[in-house]
Amino acid sequence: MSEELCIISDIKIIDAETRFFVINGKVLTGSYYRIDNIYCEKAIQPDEEIFSIAQKYVDLYKPCKAFVIDIVLTDNQYKIIEYNPINCAGIYACDYNLIMQKLADI
């Protein structure tokens, strides 16, 4: 049986919430799903800072071949809020076709 680390923080004000789909250690596509506490679905472009930050976090920890990572902007810093299984994650404005194409390659 393996052990996993769980970190809990104080309540924070979240400025933006994002989701990234990761397959084989590569961040494929991402989406905002909440900005300034308003629900929205907005694709994240690969040249945006948050996209490369997501890849840096993924390079540090990959729980499996296919997963999602949710990252928030709070206090002018990007923080991981959770990793989730890919099979039950909302896609929001992520590139669905790219996700399906890369899943077929696993």
Side-chain angles (χ1 to χ4, degrees):
M1 181 185 277
S2 67
E3 293 184 21
E4 296 291 330
L5 176 65
C6 178
I7 300 172
I8 300 171
S9 77
D10 296 329
I11 294 173
K12 304 284 185 188
I13 299 204
I14 296 174
D15 299 311
E17 296 181 57
T18 64
R19 169 157 298 154
F20 292 91
F21 281 76
V22 180
I23 298 175
N24 289 329
K26 183 173 180 356
V27 174
L28 298 178
T29 180
S31 173
Y32 291 97
Y33 58 89
R34 188 173 299 278
I35 298 174
D36 294 327
N37 209 28
I38 298 171
Y39 178 82
C40 72
E41 294 185 16
K42 180 183 172 214
I44 298 172
Q45 302 306 312
D47 62 346
E48 290 184 53
E49 178 186 29
I50 183 66
F51 206 97
S52 62
I53 289 170
Q55 185 62 58
K56 287 177 184 177
Y57 282 139
V58 167
D59 291 343
L60 294 172
Y61 178 68
K62 299 176 232 10
C64 58
K65 287 184 179 183
F67 60 93
V68 298
I69 179 174
D70 290 356
I71 299 173
V72 298
L73 176 62
T74 180
D75 296 329
N76 293 317
Q77 297 179 331
Y78 292 106
K79 305 283 186 177
I80 299 168
I81 56 170
E82 60 188 343
Y83 286 84
N84 284 304
I86 202 167
N87 62 325
C88 62
I91 293 179
Y92 304 118
C94 292
D95 186 335
Y96 176 82
N97 291 329
L98 179 61
I99 295 165
M100 293 302 117
Q101 176 188 18
K102 295 299 181 180
L103 278 174
D105 294 341
I106 293 181

